[in-house]
Amino acid sequence: MPDQHQQMIEVSDPAHVDAARRAAVRLAERVRADEQWLGRITVVTQELARNLVLHAGGGSVLLSLDRHGLDLVAVDKGPGMANIAQCLSDSYSTAGTMGAGLGAIRRMSDAFDIYSQPGQGTLVHAHFDIEPPSAAGLKVGAVSTPYPGETLCGDAWAVLGNRIMVCDGLGHGHAAHEASQRARSLFLDHDSSIPLPTLMERLHRALADTRGGAVAFAEIQPARGQVEFCGIGNIAGVLLAERSRSMVSANGTVGYKIGRVQTFTYPWDPATVLVMSSDGIGTKWDLNGYPGLFRRSPAIIAAQVHRDFRRLNDDATVVVVKGE
């Protein structure tokens, strides 16, 4: 099972296209040596990055690798697309090229999605499978980036069955990374029959010799029509539905000082979207100005929130979960 790896490549010049391609292939080679699979990733990454230069005046490619696969999301704030269907046509081009970029990306990817607003930019998501999707019937997308200038991210996130964790190690840099990765490892190794408060108390003891951090768990129970949330510290949990609501976290620092650990229960249905984020994402984000975004993949939603509401003074993580 591969570790989780995430990277953001800035693309503003033709030379950066090759850098993005090399970074994606290096990640993919960690888990598979299949030449055909790697070849598809090579072409798709090159097309995504090239489109950022040709059509958007620059942007970034977000790379994310976990046991389920490799995700690529190209993000820009360029002119956007008035007619996405037309832009996906192999014969359509706005830059005097063959116009096969987006169509080729869609065909070569195991999953594909796109969101664009005229004048506000575009996000394109391409996914390449390693393992089948979770049997829990959840679709998950995430973006996690380090404090600007740092190479290690002090945040961590993970999914185990129908449970999701986000941890924000206190501060940033190596010590925060060590705390959050220990929390992630313990979460991935736990017995999922353990109640969430008991798991939080185990994490509290396990992080006692680290810097500690904020931690939140969510457990989605579709059959019961509910989601349980257990949080300590400043991990935000929001349910986006017909009636959106914020989820409750208690004060404290896991590994240092916590009070009573509680779980709160909220309604869940197939149309609900769960968003969990560290405090590197602004608390006053609002998606009402993004028509149709809720219908897009969790990876697109996460990248949109990260693009427009990321703070530049901390590690930043946003995890988005939808039902199948």
Side-chain angles (χ1 to χ4, degrees), residues 28 80 83 119 126 137 145 206 208 233 305-306 308:
N83 187 328
T145 55
V305 172
H306 183 273
D308 290 353

Side-chain angles (χ1 to χ4, degrees), residues 47-48 51-52 55 72-76 80-89 92 101-106 109 111-118 121-127 290-301 303-304 307 322:
E47 289 293 338
L48 287 174
N51 284 346
L52 291 175
H55 303 292
L72 310 174
V73 184
V75 180
D76 69 66
M81 304 178 190
N83 187 328
I84 291 176
Q86 184 180 42
C87 293
L88 285 168
S89 169
Y92 182 77
L102 285 176
I105 291 168
R106 179 169 59 176
S109 305
F112 172 87
D113 202 5
I114 185 169
Y115 182 76
S116 187
Q117 289 181 290
T122 299
L123 298 93
V124 183
H125 172 220
H127 173 82
Y290 302 84
L293 181 61
F294 288 178
R295 296 193 296 271
R296 304 273 58 90
S297 70
I300 290 281
I301 299 171
Q304 185 83 64
R307 189 196 76 175
K322 299 174 72 175

Side-chain angles (χ1 to χ4, degrees), residues 133-302:
S134 167
L138 301 177
K139 296 184 289 186
V140 182
V143 179
S144 187
T145 55
Y147 181 96
E150 294 280 2
T151 56
L152 295 175
C153 185
D155 294 348
W157 65 276
V159 178
L160 183 66
N162 63 339
R163 289 184 167 185
I164 303 97
M165 182 212 75
V166 175
C167 177
D168 179 355
L170 194 63
H172 54 86
H174 178 78
H177 176 77
E178 180 183 10
S180 64
Q181 289 301 312
R182 185 179 299 184
R184 180 176 185 271
S185 294
L186 192 150
F187 173 81
L188 289 173
D189 288 340
H190 86 277
D191 180 345
S192 59
S193 66
I194 297 172
L196 295 182
T198 303
L199 178 59
M200 185 69 76
E201 289 163 357
R202 290 187 180 183
L203 250 68
H204 178 57
R205 293 191 293 271
L207 299 187
D209 63 343
T210 73
R211 183 176 285 185
V215 178
F217 306 126
E219 180 176 311
I220 297 172
Q221 302 169 350
R224 296 184 179 182
Q226 67 183 34
V227 53
E228 293 185 352
F229 188 82
C230 180
I232 301 289
N234 53 6
I235 301 297
V238 179
L239 291 171
L240 305 176
E242 184 174 336
R243 179 190 171 194
S244 297
R245 64 183 74 199
S246 297
M247 306 166 89
V248 176
S249 281
N251 293 326
T253 301
V254 178
Y256 174 62
K257 184 178 182 180
I258 61 175
R260 182 185 176 193
V261 182
Q262 292 181 269
T263 295
F264 296 89
T265 301
Y266 303 88
W268 174 270
D269 63 42
T272 303
V273 178
L274 168 65
V275 181
M276 296 172 65
S277 58
S278 68
D279 65 351
I281 302 295
T283 57
K284 295 184 178 180
W285 56 267
D286 184 354
L287 299 185
N288 287 328
Y290 302 84
L293 181 61
F294 288 178
R295 296 193 296 271
R296 304 273 58 90
S297 70
I300 290 281
I301 299 171

